[in-house]
Amino acid sequence: MLRAIYPGSFDPVTYGHLDIIRRSCKIVDELVVGVLNNNAKMPLFSVEERVKMLEEATKDLTNVRIVPFHGLLIDFARQMDAFVIIRGLRAITDFEYELQIAQSNRKVAPEIDTVFLTTSIEYAYLSSSIVKEYARYGVDVTQFVPIEVVDRIKEKYNRAF
Ligand code: ADP
């Protein structure tokens, strides 16, 4: 049974994240999407809201579980009995950061490996930050995130786009 963790902030989940989730689900037996609860990052959405949006967006997938976590990713992976971490790679900037994290994680947790999936080209530019920035100024974000997420962003920013 191959279980992997796909960790992130998902503040909020985008079509870029969902693409990685769908592709991972075809590779592993069970995918645990780990939603980082880190208030220092000052997220727009609470961890409960982020979990809910991910659950709604993945409800058609049978081998996904959405689980909030805080603290070290390697501790969470061990707790979940998962020895594979999945990360998405968009550009060179992602690569440098991700390489450092993956290598240091292997130093302290050699039994855990990180696997990278490269972004689908149509989502290469997409990030949660860009979605929030557009939404804050009233730009319609329906091409970037699922409709349930659009509605929640509208509520947050009190916008009608
Ligand atoms: P973090 O706060 O750790 O950067 P994110 O929620 O932004 O977490 O992203 C979680 C993971 O999803 C990361 O591996 C990130 O590289 C990946 N990711 C985010 N957006 C995309 C995208 N458009 N295409 C592919 N991977 C993506």
Side-chain angles (χ1 to χ4, degrees), residues 54-118:
L54 274 157
E55 281 172 351
E56 285 167 1
T58 59
K59 57 176 183 281
D60 61 311
L61 298 170
T62 51
N63 58 339
V64 175
R65 253 198 300 161
I66 317 295
V67 180
F69 77 101
H70 62 271
L72 279 185
L73 175 57
I74 48 168
D75 289 338
F76 176 60
R78 283 173 174 158
Q79 202 182 312
M80 287 285 124
D81 232 347
F83 299 97
V84 175
I85 292 168
I86 294 180
R87 295 288 286 174
L89 281 183
R90 282 161 295 189
I92 287 290
T93 40
D94 272 351
F95 178 78
E96 281 183 26
Y97 171 76
E98 294 292 342
L99 188 67
Q100 185 187 17
I101 303 284
Q103 287 178 336
S104 46
N105 277 345
R106 279 212 71 211
K107 275 282 180 205
V108 288
E111 79 279 19
I112 299 176
D113 249 309
T114 305
V115 172
F116 296 103
L117 293 187
T118 51

Side-chain angles (χ1 to χ4, degrees), residues 8-69:
S9 306
F10 307 104
D11 184 40
V13 60
T14 69
Y15 283 133
H17 295 129
L18 289 169
D19 175 57
I20 298 287
I21 291 174
R22 280 173 199 284
R23 286 161 58 202
S24 304
C25 279
K26 292 187 189 152
I27 300 170
V28 303
D29 297 307
E30 186 182 42
L31 185 71
V32 175
V33 179
V35 184
L36 183 63
N37 187 0
N38 176 3
N39 287 331
K41 272 195 160 186
M42 301 271 279
L44 176 64
F45 293 99
S46 69
V47 73
E48 293 80 15
E49 290 172 312
R50 285 178 275 144
V51 166
K52 192 100 194 67
M53 286 186 279
L54 274 157
E55 281 172 351
E56 285 167 1
T58 59
K59 57 176 183 281
D60 61 311
L61 298 170
T62 51
N63 58 339
V64 175
R65 253 198 300 161
I66 317 295
V67 180
F69 77 101

Side-chain angles (χ1 to χ4, degrees), residues 83-154:
F83 299 97
V84 175
I85 292 168
I86 294 180
R87 295 288 286 174
L89 281 183
R90 282 161 295 189
I92 287 290
T93 40
D94 272 351
F95 178 78
E96 281 183 26
Y97 171 76
E98 294 292 342
L99 188 67
Q100 185 187 17
I101 303 284
Q103 287 178 336
S104 46
N105 277 345
R106 279 212 71 211
K107 275 282 180 205
V108 288
E111 79 279 19
I112 299 176
D113 249 309
T114 305
V115 172
F116 296 103
L117 293 187
T118 51
T119 180
S120 293
I121 215 75
E122 63 267 41
Y123 304 123
Y125 61 87
L126 189 52
S127 71
S128 300
S129 315
I130 284 178
V131 170
K132 285 183 280 189
E133 186 71 1
Y134 279 147
R136 184 180 313 141
Y137 293 103
V139 176
D140 182 3
V141 292
T142 44
Q143 57 181 312
F144 305 133
V145 295
I147 191 66
E148 310 84 32
V149 178
V150 175
D151 292 341
R152 283 167 191 263
I153 296 182
K154 278 186 196 167

